[in-house]
Amino acid sequence: MKISYNWLKQFLNVDWEANRTGELLTDLGLEIEGIESFCSVPGGLEGVVIGEVIACEQHPNADRLKLTRVNTGSGEPLQIVCGAPNVAKGQKVPVATVGTVLHDAEGNPFTIKKGKIRGEVSMGMICAEDELGLGSSHDGIMVLDNSLKPGTPASEVFEIENDHIFEIGLTPNRADAMSHLGVARDLRAGLIQQEQLLELITPSTSSFHVDNRALKIDVNVKENDLAPRYAGVTISGLKVKDSPAWLSNRLRSIGLTPINNIVDITNYVLHELGQPLHAFDAVKIAGNEVNVKTLKSGTKFVTLDGVERELHEEDLMICDAEKPMCIAGVFGGEHSGVTEATTSIFLESAYFNPISIRKTAKRHGLNTDASFRFERGVDPNITEYALMRAAVMIVEIAGGEITSDIVDIYPKKIEDHQVVLNYENATKLIGQEIPRETIKQILTALDIKIENVTETGIGMTIPAFRNDVTREADVIEEILRVYGYNNIDFTTKLNASIASTSHTEDHVVQNKVANQLTALGFHEMLANSLTNAEYSKLSEKLKEEHNVVMLNPLSMDLEILRQSMLFGALEAVSYNSNRKMPNIKLFEFGKTYHNYPSGREEKKHLSLIISGNRTENSWTGTHKPSDFFYGKGVVTAVLDRLGINDYKDEGLQSDLYREGLALKKGKATIVEMGIVHKKLCKNFDVSAEVFFADFNWDEILKEIPTENFIMEPIPKFPKAKRDFALLLDESVSFDKLKIAAFSTEKNLLKEVSLFDVYTGKNLPKGKKSYALSFTIQDDRKTLTDKQIDKIMNKLQARFEKDFGAELR
């Protein structure tokens, strides 16, 4: 937001340098992101002086050019070739000397150089007003007052305004500071703490009066909840033309382009007081009535930018007796605005429901100065004052008469709110006691009315324009920012206590797992919890009725809270793979959100997603693609790290996975994982195979062992390894063999692993070959071959009996 320093000085008689004022505003919470210089005339007329034409003759080689000699007050007169039809001897004129930088109509700079025009030397340029940026006329050169002395700098003759413009990074809660008046109010409070006791000067409306009642516009507000206050007045006999220089310069200084005097005045009051206004051409208001209402969904409306928009049933509209004229608080209509032919207007000032305006602006993709303020909340008690201020300015600048009483529909007044401040609470929160008189002084400077004072605190009334100050803590924050954060003392002693934290605390476990996964080459990601409602249609597992829908979505892509972690992860895979990053290993801690019939629920998750190769290409070896077993190994490693190992796995039937597995402990599912279905990947423009694992984090935290670990010494005696190559039915899984092996030999069998699987030629139909490795160890002695063979015979017999296995 741009704020003019000269404009601020109309509210406060402050004489500080701009940089010093900027530092104070930043300390007050209005962060100054930059300070720019502004000059009402580009270049400031530097190098332009007053000259006297002492000779003017016809150019010997051109019919339309004159050869002049100009006295510029220093040295010999300059010979200048001039093409203006009105140049004559004896005139006082503005002269751009050699080296002067002027600007064209588009603002592009050009330098005046010594040159020859049709064979005659020209040592400068006699200027027209548009060439100096002083107007738009190019009919001839400017002829000045004859009393001016040659050599006088033009910057001393013409009124040139130099200003400093503050670029303020306004936070969304500071609706009260969206104007020069609001910033001046804060600045005054800060200056008082600097012992600069200044009065806040507000524009006077004492000259407002109704001249006659010749043009009455009836106003009907049919949606009082959406338009709690609506005011208007008519002005007739005005003349639409260019604004005076001072008004145009004010608007240009903050980056606005002047349009005409009526529109410029509404923009001026908007940035002066923070109250958006709108001027309707009164002749175009059918039936001389204004209706504030909503229209049927699908109604067409053409806005000022020429775009035809389809209205929503909740969009508040300003209508006449026949048609809509304006999207309330957002954007005007193409056919109801002020033009050069306008002679009478209906001037509107209102307080609209901020939520309604924000929704409408978002729906139509509009962001205007008016909507920016209305959706944050303007001062509901300034509506009539701003209307009177604009009406007075219009009469003064555009002429005309006020031809109606002010219509002000305000059925339910928005009351100021009461807050009680306890001194002791303020001291605790600030960390330092601030003198009570200083607190009162700060509150008064911020226009907060002190109602009563006791030994323990203050009762106060917060004005309605401070909609962000509703609690005692908010008041304390106001006191602190004006008092100055830099004025709060701190000690060199740091006190801290060591918290006793369990190893099963959520954040501790998350850090442990995150460190493990990053060591395995994973990167942590954070997806948006808001997602596209269409995603819930990609799986039968997700129900549309279980979506938590946003009332005011930022866009259609962010209109619900996610029910699954998968889709955000697939978006990340798509984003990275489309940018030549195909090898992806990501994890995310997050929540899913569900609107069940029994109520809304949030569930914690850890998700893993893997695609591409396990490692990047290297000269040390060939790359190996990631697959289901690699992903399962990572999942198993995480569970082992957490001490969770007595779980069972079951096949998972889901339209999310081409092949999947669920790990269960008791009746609870702790992990679901698998290869994501190709059809699902296609929706995200992902062609590579993707492994996804979803940890039910709430269940994981419940299953982490809480008892102390028992440490055992490393066995002194050697391990023995034996292998079996078994011919099995295809239906027999490795997990079944493993369970059978450990149930057969419970004491000495330490590990069973699968190191080869073969299906194909030379095997009977419906058969497969598993190569299993068995690790056997006795912690008390070295095993003999006889003992080992006995164990292996028992295992062979068990496999033959239970699974029909044959040794190959």
Side-chain angles (χ1 to χ4, degrees):
M1 184 182 71
K2 294 182 182 295
I3 292 293
S4 159
Y5 196 21
N6 287 351
W7 205 338
L8 280 181
K9 289 178 180 178
Q10 292 179 200
F11 293 94
L12 294 169
N13 291 322
V14 59
D15 57 358
W16 283 14
E17 291 182 356
N19 286 335
R20 186 180 178 190
T21 301
E23 290 175 1
L24 178 57
L25 288 172
T26 297
D27 289 343
L28 289 168
L30 302 177
E31 183 179 358
I32 302 300
E33 297 178 342
I35 303 176
E36 298 177 355
S37 296
F38 170 80
C39 183
S40 60
V41 177
L45 299 182
E46 187 175 348
V48 180
V49 298
I50 305 304
E52 180 181 9
V53 181
I54 58 177
C56 181
E57 301 173 354
Q58 185 65 44
H59 193 294
N61 302 318
D63 294 337
R64 297 186 178 182
L65 297 179
K66 299 289 180 64
L67 195 62
T68 66
R69 293 181 64 78
V70 182
N71 173 21
T72 57
S74 60
E76 293 293 322
L78 303 178
Q79 178 172 292
I80 298 176
V81 176
C82 181
N86 64 330
V87 64
K89 180 180 178 181
Q91 292 174 336
K92 297 293 177 65
V93 294
V95 178
T97 57
V98 173
T100 298
V101 178
L102 299 179
H103 295 76
D104 61 20
E106 285 73 37
N108 301 314
F110 63 93
T111 303
I112 303 299
K113 299 178 181 178
K114 176 182 177 181
K116 283 189 175 184
I117 301 177
R118 291 291 185 92
E120 295 293 335
V121 174
S122 184
M123 299 291 291
M125 183 171 76
I126 304 175
C127 301
E129 66 175 35
D130 66 328
E131 292 166 333
L132 295 177
L134 296 172
S136 57
S137 174
H138 196 69
D139 295 336
I141 61 170
M142 296 183 72
V143 179
L144 307 176
D145 191 319
N146 207 42
S147 63
L148 294 174
K149 183 179 179 181
T152 303
S155 58
E156 297 179 6
V157 176
F158 301 100
E159 292 185 5
I160 298 176
E161 182 174 7
N162 292 294
D163 198 357
H164 290 90
I165 308 302
F166 299 114
E167 183 69 43
I168 297 181
L170 194 65
T171 53
N173 64 305
R174 291 303 308 277
D176 63 296
M178 294 186 297
S179 65
H180 285 76
L181 172 61
V183 174
R185 185 190 296 115
D186 261 23
L187 181 57
R188 177 190 62 169
L191 288 169
I192 289 174
Q193 294 307 303
Q194 303 290 326
E195 298 183 354
Q196 299 278 324
L197 302 179
L198 300 179
E199 180 184 356
L200 187 66
I201 306 167
T202 55
S204 172
T205 58
S206 59
S207 61
F208 178 89
H209 66 278
V210 179
D211 296 289
N212 59 68
R213 294 170 177 81
L215 180 58
K216 181 183 178 183
I217 302 290
D218 293 324
V219 177
N220 303 300
V221 178
K222 299 182 179 181
E223 301 287 347
N224 286 313
D225 290 341
L226 304 183
R229 187 175 190 182
Y230 190 90
V233 70
T234 64
I235 305 172
S236 303
L238 53 82
K239 185 176 181 180
V240 178
K241 56 185 178 180
D242 289 339
S243 296
W246 71 266
L247 177 54
S248 296
N249 288 337
R250 278 285 180 267
L251 298 180
R252 285 194 186 98
S253 71
I254 58 173
L256 298 182
T257 302
I259 298 173
N260 59 56
N261 50 2
I262 305 301
V263 175
D264 291 350
I265 288 169
T266 62
N267 284 332
Y268 181 88
V269 174
L270 164 70
H271 289 275
E272 179 185 51
L273 304 178
Q275 173 64 52
L277 305 169
H278 192 77
F280 297 92
D281 189 327
V283 174
K284 299 175 183 177
I285 301 177
N288 277 1
E289 66 178 62
V290 169
N291 299 303
V292 184
K293 62 182 183 178
T294 56
L295 299 175
K296 290 182 180 180
S297 183
T299 302
K300 306 293 184 182
F301 180 68
V302 181
T303 46
L304 272 173
D305 54 2
V307 176
E308 184 179 75
R309 303 179 189 275
E310 191 171 294
L311 300 179
H312 187 273
E313 60 186 7
E314 294 180 359
D315 292 337
L316 186 65
M317 302 296 295
I318 310 300
C319 309
D320 59 19
E322 300 173 355
K323 62 188 181 299
M325 299 187 295
C326 173
I327 302 177
V330 180
F331 212 21
E334 186 178 39
H335 305 297
S336 62
V338 173
T339 66
E340 292 182 358
T342 299
T343 58
S344 59
I345 64 170
F346 174 74
L347 187 62
E348 166 198 277
S349 179
Y351 175 83
F352 295 119
N353 183 295
I355 296 174
S356 171
I357 298 300
R358 183 164 57 248
K359 287 183 177 181
T360 296
K362 294 295 182 184
R363 267 194 294 268
H364 296 289
L366 294 171
N367 183 20
T368 61
D369 283 340
S371 68
F372 177 81
R373 286 159 176 79
F374 276 130
E375 66 188 30
R376 284 162 174 78
V378 298
D379 182 0
N381 296 322
I382 206 175
T383 305
E384 185 180 27
Y385 171 65
L387 184 67
M388 295 170 65
R389 166 67 169 158
V392 168
M393 290 183 67
I394 289 172
V395 171
E396 290 177 356
I397 294 172
E401 299 177 324
I402 297 174
T403 51
S404 76
D405 292 315
I406 290 179
V407 177
D408 187 4
I409 300 176
Y410 196 12
K412 186 178 180 181
K413 185 178 180 182
I414 298 174
E415 299 291 344
D416 298 337
H417 39 280
Q418 310 296 318
V419 176
V420 175
L421 171 69
N422 182 283
Y423 292 131
E424 186 177 344
N425 290 342
T427 301
K428 285 181 180 178
L429 202 56
I430 294 172
Q432 177 178 314
E433 184 175 0
I434 295 177
R436 297 183 179 185
E437 287 304 314
T438 301
I439 290 176
K440 297 175 192 175
Q441 186 183 56
I442 291 172
L443 294 175
T444 302
L446 292 173
D447 288 346
I448 294 175
K449 185 179 179 181
I450 296 176
E451 299 290 353
N452 57 76
V453 180
T454 67
E455 285 297 316
T456 58
I458 302 175
M460 68 201 80
T461 300
I462 310 297
F465 64 79
R466 288 312 305 268
N467 53 32
D468 62 320
V469 181
T470 58
R471 307 166 302 164
E472 181 185 43
D474 299 328
V475 174
I476 295 171
E477 182 182 0
E478 291 297 295
I479 295 169
L480 181 56
R481 71 178 181 84
V482 175
Y483 182 76
Y485 291 97
N486 295 332
N487 294 325
I488 301 300
D489 297 328
F490 60 93
T491 64
T492 56
K493 182 181 178 182
L494 179 64
N495 296 322
S497 58
I498 300 174
S500 175
T501 304
S502 168
H503 73 279
T504 59
E505 289 283 342
D506 191 357
H507 70 279
V508 175
V509 179
Q510 284 193 31
N511 286 335
K512 185 186 298 183
V513 172
N515 289 336
Q516 179 187 11
L517 290 171
T518 52
L520 293 173
F522 282 75
H523 292 87
E524 186 169 8
M525 64 171 278
L526 182 63
N528 199 334
S529 295
L530 295 171
T531 189
N532 195 320
E534 293 297 314
Y535 290 168
S536 60
K537 300 177 182 178
L538 297 178
S539 172
E540 294 180 359
K541 182 180 179 181
L542 308 177
K543 305 296 183 183
E544 289 187 59
E545 58 268 25
H546 294 165
N547 286 335
V548 179
V549 182
M550 303 301 294
L551 294 177
N552 185 27
L554 293 173
S555 71
M556 298 301 290
D557 290 333
L558 301 171
E559 60 180 335
I560 65 167
L561 289 168
R562 63 185 176 189
Q563 286 194 61
S564 171
M565 305 281 284
L566 173 59
F567 305 123
L570 285 174
E571 286 178 344
V573 171
S574 176
Y575 184 90
N576 284 278
S577 59
N578 288 337
R579 287 159 179 78
K580 308 298 181 183
M581 297 287 289
N583 303 325
I584 298 163
K585 292 193 288 187
L586 302 171
F587 72 95
E588 178 186 8
F589 290 99
K591 292 181 179 180
T592 58
Y593 306 85
H594 311 269
N595 187 19
Y596 296 131
S598 59
R600 294 180 177 179
E601 289 186 20
E602 294 182 12
K603 299 179 180 179
K604 294 181 181 179
H605 296 262
L606 163 64
S607 65
L608 310 180
I609 195 159
I610 304 169
S611 184
N613 298 325
R614 302 183 188 187
T615 58
E616 298 294 336
N617 292 340
S618 172
W619 64 271
T620 57
T622 58
H623 59 265
K624 190 173 182 180
S626 303
D627 55 17
F628 176 85
F629 298 102
Y630 174 71
K632 183 186 176 185
V634 174
V635 171
T636 303
V638 170
L639 296 176
D640 287 346
R641 179 71 177 85
L642 298 177
I644 303 173
N645 45 37
D646 53 341
Y647 51 83
K648 296 180 180 179
D649 52 16
E650 294 181 3
L652 177 63
Q653 299 298 320
S654 170
D655 58 358
L656 296 176
Y657 304 107
R658 190 178 75 226
E659 50 183 294
L661 193 67
L663 304 185
K664 293 190 172 184
K665 192 161 185 186
K667 294 182 179 180
T669 299
I670 57 175
V671 185
E672 289 185 355
M673 57 183 158
I675 301 298
V676 181
H677 204 288
K678 285 185 177 181
K679 184 178 180 181
L680 190 57
C681 291
K682 191 176 180 181
N683 284 282
F684 294 86
D685 194 26
V686 175
S687 56
E689 185 175 273
V690 176
F691 173 87
F692 181 76
D694 184 8
F695 291 73
N696 184 337
W697 196 250
D698 292 311
E699 290 296 330
I700 292 290
L701 294 175
K702 292 177 185 176
E703 298 299 335
I704 296 175
T706 56
E707 65 273 7
N708 294 328
F709 291 97
I710 299 175
M711 308 301 292
E712 296 181 352
I714 298 173
K716 300 178 182 179
F717 302 98
K719 298 176 181 178
K721 287 197 174 185
R722 296 291 188 269
D723 299 335
F724 274 164
L726 300 175
L727 186 65
L728 300 157
D729 291 337
E730 286 186 346
S731 61
V732 178
S733 67
F734 166 68
D735 190 57
K736 292 179 180 178
L737 296 172
K738 184 177 179 181
I739 293 172
F742 280 110
S743 65
T744 302
E745 178 52 60
K746 299 179 180 179
N747 297 321
L748 302 181
L749 183 62
K750 301 299 183 183
E751 186 178 346
V752 180
S753 61
L754 176 66
F755 65 89
D756 186 47
V757 178
Y758 176 74
T759 58
K761 293 181 180 181
N762 303 322
L763 290 182
K765 186 177 180 180
K767 297 289 186 177
K768 62 182 176 183
S769 175
Y770 272 2
L772 304 180
S773 177
F774 302 87
T775 301
I776 305 169
Q777 186 180 32
D778 191 331
D779 298 337
R780 297 167 298 173
K781 62 183 179 179
T782 301
L783 291 170
T784 64
D785 288 340
K786 185 177 180 180
Q787 291 173 309
I788 295 170
D789 290 341
K790 183 179 179 180
I791 292 172
M792 296 306 294
N793 289 335
K794 285 168 59 180
L795 292 173
Q796 180 183 344
R798 179 67 181 273
F799 294 154
E800 289 173 349
K801 178 182 177 183
D802 290 358
F803 307 109
E806 298 178 27
L807 285 180
R808 295 186 65 201

